[in-house]
Amino acid sequence: MTDDSTIPGAAQTDRSDDKLLPELVAHLRDHRTELRQQWAERITGAHLLSAMTNEEVFSEATSVYDNYVGVLETGSVEALRDYARDLSERIIPRGVETHEVIGIVLLLRDVLARSLFEKYREDFELLTHVLNAYEPAANRIANTVAVSFVDQRERVIRDQQDALLELSTPVLQVRERLLILPIIGVLDQDRARQLTEQLLHAIRAHRAKLVVIDVTGVPDMDETVANSLVDTVTASRLMGADVIITGLSSEIAQTLVTIGVDLSKMHTVGDLQGGIEEAERQLGFRVSKVPDAD
Amino acid sequence: MPTDTPTAPLAPLPASILSQRPNLIVSIHAALDDEQLVRLQRDLLERVGRERSRGILIDVAALDVLDSFAARTLADLAYMAQLRGARTVVVGIAPDVAMTLVRLGVRIPLTQTALDLEEGLEWLGQ
């Protein structure tokens, strides 16, 4: 090694980055234990990954370190990407934040760069070349880990959104051929579309003739949402089911009239009870109280 | 007979018209092109007169697509049939078809719709 570093400037041309990387990898392998230890300490010192125990941090640090060196050696980030996904999957539920993940990767980059400075400090020229080889690879690794983590997180968020949507629009049968659809929470265009889809399938499955859509739990409504509600009613009619809308709050009623949504073709009733009574009447049910029941 | 003369027999429509007095029941098996739709319309109107039908039921349950021309033709048909004394009901529109029709802004005016054959017949019987 010392022989190499004493080669004068003229010989530097054949010290291409290709040759430097294996040397770099060998160095990182040789000092695996201490560098890993250093890194784990830096992570704890920076209060990153506070949701995990020291042992966990150390064992993850080991895997990341080995993967990191693997990427430097092979130049392929595939394995690291898979590992980063897997890691993200494990640590996202524990509340690990994006800044922590990026932070630890940058720390590792820092720890390794320092050890390179240490090793090549005698020969500035060579150090420059080593860094030329190291920096792009390290940046790529940091990028890969961060992107994998964010991707994974977004996937989790998407899944949760789907689950929430699924949960938030129950279509219930209350009488033969009568469905109710209580809508709770903010309606946006996506949710309105999904809701329509679910309702139409339920109409077919239950052979519904009447649907009561209750919007008591909807805080406000803009023009787009009101129009998609009109579309829901129209689509239900195409499938042979009539729709009664109940629970339009005074604010929503005012908004709808002000923005000029045409609800004239819609059948609306004040509250859910009134809606169900009206629907029962139309379907020919008569609900009466037993005289001497208490 | 040369096949390209106007009198050549046309390929059979992928739709059947059944008579169940006083109604006509039309079942469409596959998507119809514009020319076939017009033929169906003409055949039906002719049958309405000949059989003195009171109602027409069109079952579109087999279709996964109903374009604006088809919707328009059905609406026109309903209106024309009404002029000849028959009521029309379209049954079996699939959820996705209903969504698409509404999203494209296609309205089927004048046409009564019902969930399925049974519902449609009940409506015609009223």
Side-chain angles (χ1 to χ4, degrees):
Chain A
M1 197 59 238
T2 41
D3 291 347
D4 284 347
S5 56
T6 53
I7 289 173
Q12 279 174 7
T13 38
D14 51 279
R15 269 219 164 268
S16 65
D17 295 352
D18 297 350
K19 282 186 191 158
L20 279 170
L21 269 177
E23 195 182 308
L24 203 76
V25 170
H27 168 72
L28 297 181
R29 286 251 157 82
D30 291 345
H31 299 79
R32 181 168 176 262
T33 317
E34 69 184 84
L35 289 175
R36 220 170 23 153
Q37 189 59 44
Q38 248 179 49
W39 182 35
E41 277 163 18
R42 292 276 304 270
I43 293 175
T44 329
H47 300 291
L48 294 173
L49 299 182
S50 45
M52 295 162 77
T53 65
N54 282 347
E55 289 76 32
E56 283 175 320
V57 170
F58 188 73
S59 90
E60 293 296 358
T62 306
S63 314
V64 176
Y65 186 93
D66 291 343
N67 271 295
Y68 200 103
V69 177
V71 174
L72 287 177
E73 189 174 25
T74 61
S76 151
V77 290
E78 293 298 321
L80 179 70
R81 186 179 299 142
D82 290 345
Y83 173 74
R85 281 216 187 106
D86 181 56
L87 175 69
S88 310
E89 212 164 292
R90 273 180 285 132
I91 61 180
I92 287 169
R94 321 245 331 232
V96 175
E97 299 290 337
T98 315
H99 77 89
E100 293 185 289
V101 171
I102 297 175
I104 62 165
V105 179
L106 292 180
L107 274 180
L108 177 58
R109 188 178 182 280
D110 187 48
V111 167
L112 298 189
R114 273 167 201 270
S115 97
L116 294 176
F117 280 124
E118 186 77 22
K119 181 170 153 73
Y120 296 109
R121 68 176 160 193
E122 305 299 332
D123 185 342
F124 186 71
E125 289 279 338
L126 184 56
L127 176 63
T128 313
H129 280 275
V130 169
L131 287 181
N132 278 346
Y134 171 71
E135 291 285 336
N139 286 346
R140 222 167 125 221
I141 293 170
N143 195 14
T144 305
V145 173
V147 168
S148 303
F149 182 82
V150 172
D151 275 354
Q152 193 64 32
R153 223 167 114 114
E154 277 174 2
R155 204 180 56 79
V156 169
I157 294 173
R158 259 198 312 278
D159 286 354
Q160 285 172 345
Q161 266 176 346
D162 287 350
L164 216 63
L165 275 177
E166 203 68 18
L167 278 178
S168 61
T169 50
V171 184
L172 311 165
Q173 176 163 355
V174 279
R175 294 261 184 274
E176 198 185 313
R177 320 205 62 183
L178 168 59
L179 299 178
I180 57 170
L181 172 64
I183 305 178
I184 306 216
V186 180
L187 258 185
D188 58 17
Q189 218 173 346
D190 267 356
R191 197 176 160 211
R193 190 183 46 74
Q194 207 234 356
L195 187 136
T196 310
E197 216 170 288
Q198 265 185 295
L199 176 64
L200 295 182
H201 283 102
I203 287 174
R204 183 145 83 169
H206 296 277
R207 303 195 74 238
K209 242 187 147 116
L210 259 169
V211 181
V212 177
I213 299 182
D214 180 61
V215 292
T216 312
V218 179
D220 53 30
M221 209 180 267
D222 61 11
E223 195 173 351
T224 337
V225 172
N227 281 326
S228 55
L229 206 60
V230 176
D231 284 353
T232 309
V233 175
T234 316
S236 305
R237 290 233 174 95
L238 284 176
M239 295 199 49
D242 229 330
V243 178
I244 296 174
I245 298 198
T246 66
L248 283 167
S249 68
S250 57
E251 289 86 0
I252 294 183
Q254 282 172 28
T255 321
L256 292 185
V257 171
T258 313
I259 58 183
V261 175
D262 180 20
L263 293 180
S264 58
K265 279 178 248 152
M266 301 246 258
H267 190 173
T268 51
V269 174
D271 58 5
L272 181 61
Q273 183 186 348
I276 293 178
E277 281 166 4
E278 167 69 16
E280 282 168 339
R281 207 182 50 72
Q282 286 189 25
L283 287 172
F285 288 105
R286 197 167 61 210
V287 180
S288 56
K289 205 172 167 187
V290 179
D292 51 8
D294 43 307
Chain B
M1 187 197 309
T3 49
D4 55 354
T5 59
T7 48
L10 293 160
L13 283 177
S16 50
I17 304 175
L18 310 169
S19 175
Q20 192 207 38
R21 281 175 196 277
N23 301 320
L24 287 176
I25 296 173
V26 185
S27 169
I28 300 178
H29 312 304
L32 301 175
D33 63 29
D34 295 0
E35 181 264 328
Q36 288 173 319
L37 273 165
V38 174
R39 248 170 75 203
L40 178 69
Q41 195 183 49
R42 206 185 47 219
D43 288 2
L44 257 172
L45 285 171
E46 195 256 325
R47 292 272 296 256
V48 167
R50 198 170 64 213
E51 310 204 3
R52 307 187 64 238
S53 308
R54 307 293 303 157
I56 301 174
L57 183 144
I58 303 175
D59 188 354
V60 296
L63 301 186
D64 48 15
V65 158
L66 201 58
D67 61 26
S68 55
F69 183 78
R72 183 82 254 158
T73 312
L74 291 182
D76 288 350
L77 169 67
Y79 189 57
M80 296 170 191
Q82 199 176 45
L83 294 177
R84 304 201 74 186
R87 304 193 293 168
T88 302
V89 58
V90 176
V91 306
I93 296 178
D96 295 339
V97 176
M99 287 275 279
T100 315
L101 282 176
V102 169
R103 206 174 309 138
L104 295 179
V106 177
R107 299 283 181 266
I108 308 191
L110 265 177
T111 309
Q112 176 73 27
T113 50
L115 184 71
D116 52 19
L117 188 74
E118 197 182 328
E119 287 295 303
L121 283 176
E122 191 183 310
W123 183 79
L124 284 176
Q126 279 169 7

